[in-house]
Amino acid sequence: MTRVLVVDDEPQIVRALVINLKARKYEVEAASDGATALRLAAECHPDVIVLDLGLPDIDGVDVIRRLRGWTRVPILVLSARQTSDEKVEALDAGADDYVTKPFGMDELLARLRAAVRRAEPVGGTEDGAVMVETAGFTVDLAAKKVHRDGRDVRLTPTEWHLLEVLVRNSGRLVSQKQLLQEVWGPSYGTETNYLRVYMAQLRRKLEADPSHPRHFVTEPGMGYRFEH
């Protein structure tokens, strides 16, 4: 059974989410502040976290950063903050998706299912090479591991999915729309700021010179390409 941690200080939103999630056979834990959220995340090991940014004690972005210090659990942000900069800040801290309040319950549940799916292991590697080596790092598709300078590189599930799609299409342009739909799901196609944030994260973790990427190449206005 999938366990969801709901973090929001608005009781009516928590109540609505708990009712809807339990009706769909999810296990649900709830927290109304950041400190409780961090404690429950450590104790209960949720499969996905739904997190409001406007918490009374710790800003939600700081909660994301603290969680990312030790867990790769998918984090779905739920927030009234609507500006592009605020979305990018949350994604850059390690969130996997961003839903703006007010929201439709069906949309939220669809995005939650997609976040959980992205975190699940992908079976089968018969569709191409399982090991890709560059001058600076190695990608093992079978083991879902990346090594750089002899050490494992920790990637979030979303970062891994993005890397995997690009590596499996090595040398070929992958359009922004295709990347969004393959990594986040079929209802995504215009959230190009997601790609900018996550490509920047991959470059920081894997490129020798992230500001002049050699392996994760941007084709302006079109998409991205992975080069060995």
Side-chain angles (χ1 to χ4, degrees):
M1 188 179 288
T2 302
R3 183 178 290 127
V4 183
L5 173 58
V6 175
V7 187
D8 200 304
D9 64 340
E10 295 182 54
Q12 65 273 31
I13 287 182
V14 173
R15 193 160 52 245
L17 283 169
V18 169
I19 290 168
N20 278 276
L21 288 165
K22 286 188 172 178
R24 289 161 177 81
K25 304 293 187 260
Y26 289 96
E27 278 185 35
V28 189
E29 298 283 347
S32 59
D33 58 64
T36 306
L38 292 166
R39 178 176 58 78
L40 285 175
E43 290 175 1
C44 303
H45 301 290
D47 298 294
V48 60
I49 297 174
V50 179
L51 173 71
D52 178 35
L53 293 184
L55 299 173
D57 58 341
I58 308 170
D59 186 75
V61 173
D62 289 329
V63 174
I64 296 169
R65 291 195 183 104
R66 293 191 198 184
L67 287 167
R68 283 289 171 252
W70 62 273
T71 179
R72 305 196 317 171
V73 63
I75 300 172
L76 178 63
V77 166
L78 196 59
S79 180
R81 302 177 189 177
Q82 299 185 17
T83 69
S84 180
D85 285 351
E86 287 164 329
K87 290 184 181 181
V88 167
E89 186 184 20
L91 293 168
D92 208 22
D96 294 273
D97 202 351
Y98 197 108
V99 178
T100 304
K101 294 179 179 180
F103 60 90
M105 189 61 69
D106 287 344
E107 179 197 6
L108 178 71
L109 291 169
R111 288 181 177 230
L112 186 141
R113 287 193 299 272
V116 172
R117 238 183 353 259
R118 286 196 297 276
E120 291 171 351
V122 179
T125 55
E126 65 281 354
D127 51 337
V130 295
M131 185 77 77
V132 175
E133 292 190 36
T134 74
F137 59 89
T138 303
V139 181
D140 186 339
L141 293 174
K144 293 176 78 84
K145 287 183 178 294
V146 183
H147 296 279
R148 182 182 181 187
D149 301 327
R151 292 192 300 271
D152 277 353
V153 179
R154 288 182 58 179
L155 298 181
T156 68
T158 303
E159 289 167 352
W160 172 261
H161 273 253
L162 185 59
L163 174 65
E164 186 176 32
V165 173
L166 288 167
V167 166
R168 289 195 185 282
N169 290 280
S170 184
R172 296 197 294 269
L173 173 72
V174 185
S175 71
Q176 294 177 342
K177 185 174 183 180
Q178 181 185 344
L179 274 172
L180 283 164
Q181 292 182 343
E182 287 205 34
V183 177
W184 279 270
S187 61
Y188 297 75
T190 59
E191 289 87 346
T192 52
N193 56 344
Y194 284 30
L195 292 176
R196 284 195 297 275
V197 169
Y198 275 94
M199 289 302 295
Q201 290 171 189
L202 282 178
R203 287 168 177 153
R204 276 201 301 272
K205 290 182 177 183
L206 298 176
E207 293 276 8
D209 182 359
S211 59
H212 298 91
R214 176 180 167 190
H215 304 292
F216 300 98
V217 181
T218 301
E219 296 289 353
M222 295 190 293
Y224 298 89
R225 191 175 72 252
F226 175 76
E227 294 286 359
H228 280 222

